[in-house]
Amino acid sequence: MRKNAVIQALVAAGLIASAPFASAASNLVFCSEGSPAGFDPGQYTTGTDFDAAAETVFNRLTQFERGGTAVIPGLAEKWDVSPDGLIYTFHLRPGVKFHTTDYFKPTREFNADDVLFTFQRMLDKDHPFRKAYPTEFPYFTDMGMDANIAKVEKVDDRTVKFTLNGVDAAFIQNLAMSFASIQSAEYADQLLKAGKAADINQKPIGTGPFVFKRYQKDAQIRFAGNKDYWQPGDVKIDNLIFAINTDASVRMQKLKAGECQVTLFPRPADLDALKKDPNLNMPSQPGFNLGYIAYNVTHKPFDKLEVRQALDMAVNKKAIIDAVYQGAGQLAVNGMPPTQWSYDESIKDAGYNPEQAKELLKAAGVKEGTEITLWAMPVQRPYNPNAKLMAEMLQADWAKVGIKAKIVSYEWGEYIKRAKGGEHDAMLIGWSGDNGDPDNWLGTLYGCDAVDGNNFSKWCDAGYDKLIKQAKATPDQAQRTEMYKQAQHILKDQVPITPIAHSTVYQPMRKNVQDFKISPFALNSFYGVGVGK
């Protein structure tokens, strides 16, 4: 007993690895792939950030069922929608408690004030908290929610009313997404009075299944199971530890050694060995994702359609899929996966044609030897298991048509930040669907509202934008489908992106992990998950 106590004390101090401590049945170590940029979900757009905060510390008014795309009640027990589709009234769940930590002790339960604070901060640039801690909310604005939400009103402590300017067919799904995580208004007031508003991004307080304990960048994040969670049966882990390592081979070694129980993004080359390990399970499912190249149309020569068409034709997709995805990828043609309803199967690729690419570049006045930057992600994502290798192959493909690509990379948070600022020429990026709605692809990634956010091409086409906005405001799914199909043709013709692949998602874990479900949205949630002996 004394020996175990000493080991646990050393682990808590970060002086030895967490494996001995994590071997207890009520502890789970997740070998994650990167450090979060912060813990305020509204500020971010990547799964790395959402896993570390939205999926652990927070809840939303609505939520997705575990492992599925259906929307179920969250912090709102139920909701009503007006006949014209413009007013949503949410009836809030009673008895929900915010976390108690060494930096915050709530004096009241969750109520309407928390919903108002969460959304008013995103809506109002003059909000006192936002002025004290200036930040943007890219998901919220990329989806046009800042323009479409006319007002958020408190009816009483347990009732909140949202009034929209126009019909949004995906509004309930959008509120279940990570960026809409509900913050504590009381905690925000405390931070504001103390002059520490920025702590909302470093010391999170939520209502979720796990309570934030501490974070060591590039090393670990520690959470404790929330004993006061409003769905107590969902918390089966006493301690949840994110062990951060960007190297996939190291993550797999740790998993095999039992130093972590769940990990993600195995290298395709490791799949066979992992499947044969008797101590591991390897659940998988078709990826609801897309890996692609984004061309920054605000940079020359990418402002010319012929140049984008040429670079698109010069990409040998089959060779890339064989080398990078190694049997776990499907060639992508369109701006979203074929499993998304409204996908247009009539759209075809231009095909690999370096000779025609050369002619297009010559016609566009692009000289042989023209230099561009090609950004490559520093981390594995579900849609791209090896961005470095993909970038090297693209570099070789484009060299064959006279374009010299310099490969550039940054730490993941910096990569996204600089790309949103438009510093890149061409970049490797991708997406895993967030809510099962076509707008989450066609609007969030390529719409005009997303030009300063997830639209890394900075492409804004008036005809395309009109179509996707009409579709989003149309309740009838058949009519929406037709509009989205038209939009997909414009997207394909204008080539702001080159779709590369949709990858199969594998989630390696120890056999003693109980009831973990793969998210179609590439998030990692540990509520409802247990660890056996």
Side-chain angles (χ1 to χ4, degrees):
M1 289 297 292
R2 286 182 61 195
K3 180 182 177 184
N4 286 342
V6 170
I7 289 173
Q8 290 188 19
L10 289 171
V11 169
L15 296 176
I16 63 171
S18 58
F21 180 50
S23 62
S26 59
N27 297 281
L28 187 146
V29 179
F30 169 53
C31 278
S32 68
E33 88 294 1
S35 294
F39 295 88
D40 176 9
Q43 291 189 48
Y44 303 110
T45 61
T46 78
T48 304
D49 300 307
F50 293 153
D51 283 352
E55 296 303 303
T56 49
V57 177
F58 292 96
N59 295 121
R60 289 147 290 286
L61 291 174
T62 61
Q63 62 189 37
F64 295 107
E65 65 179 359
R66 288 203 310 132
T69 60
V71 178
I72 60 175
L75 292 179
E77 286 185 302
K78 59 181 180 177
W79 50 88
D80 311 309
V81 186
S82 63
D84 63 3
L86 295 178
I87 299 173
Y88 289 74
T89 304
F90 292 90
H91 304 278
L92 307 182
R93 189 178 298 277
V96 176
K97 297 178 180 179
F98 278 99
H99 299 160
T100 295
T101 67
D102 57 1
Y103 52 88
F104 177 67
K105 293 178 173 52
T107 64
R108 61 165 177 80
E109 293 180 344
F110 157 73
N111 68 27
D113 292 333
D114 305 305
V115 180
L116 258 63
F117 167 74
T118 298
F119 288 94
Q120 292 291 7
R121 181 171 70 120
M122 293 193 279
L123 284 166
D124 182 7
K125 291 188 176 182
D126 292 322
H127 190 280
F129 195 93
R130 190 161 170 182
K131 292 183 91 170
Y133 175 45
T135 188
E136 297 300 319
F137 300 95
Y139 238 134
F140 191 68
T141 53
D142 286 2
M143 296 166 71
M145 294 183 78
D146 57 329
N148 198 35
I149 296 176
K151 54 185 175 180
V152 186
E153 300 171 278
K154 175 181 177 179
V155 178
D156 56 44
D157 274 354
R158 286 187 50 203
T159 314
V160 176
K161 185 166 70 173
F162 285 72
T163 302
L164 307 185
N165 288 315
V167 174
D168 180 351
F171 188 66
I172 291 295
Q173 288 97 315
N174 293 344
L175 292 186
M177 290 165 59
S178 298
F179 77 91
S181 296
I182 301 299
Q183 299 275 0
S184 163
E186 186 182 16
Y187 179 50
D189 286 343
Q190 175 183 303
L191 293 177
L192 205 56
K193 288 172 184 172
K196 296 181 177 179
D199 276 5
I200 201 169
N201 196 31
Q202 301 301 322
K203 298 178 177 180
I205 291 291
T207 58
F210 297 97
V211 180
F212 176 81
K213 287 299 186 183
R214 58 191 177 88
Y215 169 48
Q216 186 179 354
K217 186 174 171 62
D218 298 330
Q220 63 175 247
I221 316 169
R222 287 184 169 261
F223 306 92
N226 181 5
K227 303 298 183 187
D228 294 322
Y229 192 48
W230 51 273
Q231 286 190 312
D234 278 354
V235 182
K236 300 175 181 177
I237 302 166
D238 288 332
N239 295 284
L240 173 63
I241 301 113
F242 280 34
I244 300 165
N245 198 298
T246 58
D247 189 323
S249 60
V250 172
R251 293 197 301 271
M252 299 312 137
Q253 288 165 13
K254 284 177 172 287
L255 181 72
K256 287 182 172 183
E259 293 179 27
C260 59
Q261 285 72 51
V262 180
T263 188
L264 72 178
F265 310 151
R267 297 181 308 171
D270 293 335
L271 291 175
D272 283 344
L274 291 168
K275 288 175 183 176
K276 291 173 183 174
D277 190 315
N279 297 310
L280 303 181
N281 282 329
M282 276 283 286
S284 67
Q285 66 185 31
F288 193 49
N289 59 43
L290 169 68
Y292 62 95
I293 308 164
Y295 305 113
N296 186 345
V297 302
T298 67
H299 285 197
K300 292 183 181 300
F302 301 98
D303 56 332
K304 293 184 178 180
L305 174 60
E306 298 90 342
V307 173
R308 302 195 299 272
Q309 289 173 326
L311 292 185
D312 180 78
M313 283 182 199
V315 176
N316 189 340
K317 288 189 188 180
K318 185 181 184 306
I320 288 174
I321 290 169
D322 289 345
V324 175
Y325 295 86
Q326 297 182 27
Q330 172 189 351
L331 189 143
V333 173
N334 217 332
M336 60 186 188
T339 47
Q340 173 64 65
W341 64 266
S342 81
Y343 181 89
D344 193 332
E345 294 183 0
S346 72
I347 292 174
K348 306 299 178 188
D349 252 352
Y352 177 52
N353 194 333
E355 291 308 313
Q356 190 177 348
K358 286 181 187 177
E359 292 175 14
L360 283 168
L361 288 170
K362 187 176 180 181
V366 176
K367 295 179 181 178
E368 189 165 341
T370 293
E371 296 183 359
I372 64 167
T373 59
L374 170 61
W375 288 26
M377 305 174 315
V379 297
Q380 284 180 292
R381 302 301 303 151
Y383 47 76
N384 190 335
N386 191 337
K388 182 175 182 290
L389 176 57
M390 188 184 290
E392 289 167 351
M393 295 183 74
L394 288 170
Q395 185 182 49
D397 283 344
W398 289 343
K400 292 173 186 173
V401 298
I403 298 293
K404 293 178 67 176
K406 178 187 176 185
I407 297 173
V408 174
S409 192
Y410 296 96
E411 180 271 330
W412 182 228
E414 191 71 11
Y415 185 87
I416 294 295
K417 180 181 175 183
R418 286 174 176 262
K420 286 180 178 176
E423 294 183 22
H424 59 290
D425 290 335
M427 70 180 290
L428 295 179
I429 193 66
W431 194 252
S432 293
D434 282 313
N435 65 10
D437 193 89
D439 182 72
N440 186 240
W441 301 89
L442 301 180
T444 302
L445 300 183
Y446 321 117
C448 294
D449 289 338
V451 160
D452 293 324
N454 289 313
N455 182 345
F456 294 107
S457 301
K458 311 298 179 186
W459 175 73
C460 176
D461 182 283
Y464 173 90
D465 213 56
K466 183 179 179 182
L467 274 170
I468 61 169
K469 284 181 173 170
Q470 283 179 338
K472 190 178 180 185
T474 301
D476 183 83
Q477 186 165 315
Q479 292 178 24
R480 292 185 77 199
T481 294
E482 286 309 307
M483 294 177 199
Y484 285 134
K485 284 186 175 181
Q486 291 177 52
Q488 287 167 68
H489 279 275
I490 296 173
L491 182 70
K492 191 66 177 177
D493 291 344
Q494 293 299 309
V495 204
I497 67 163
T498 291
I500 301 290
H502 313 290
S503 71
T504 302
V505 174
Y506 290 89
Q507 190 95 42
M509 63 187 72
R510 304 286 298 179
K511 281 196 169 173
N512 62 340
V513 175
Q514 300 165 345
D515 206 25
F516 184 98
K517 296 186 183 295
I518 298 178
S519 163
F521 308 129
L523 297 172
N524 292 278
S525 304
F526 294 95
Y527 66 95
V529 179
V531 182
K533 293 187 178 180

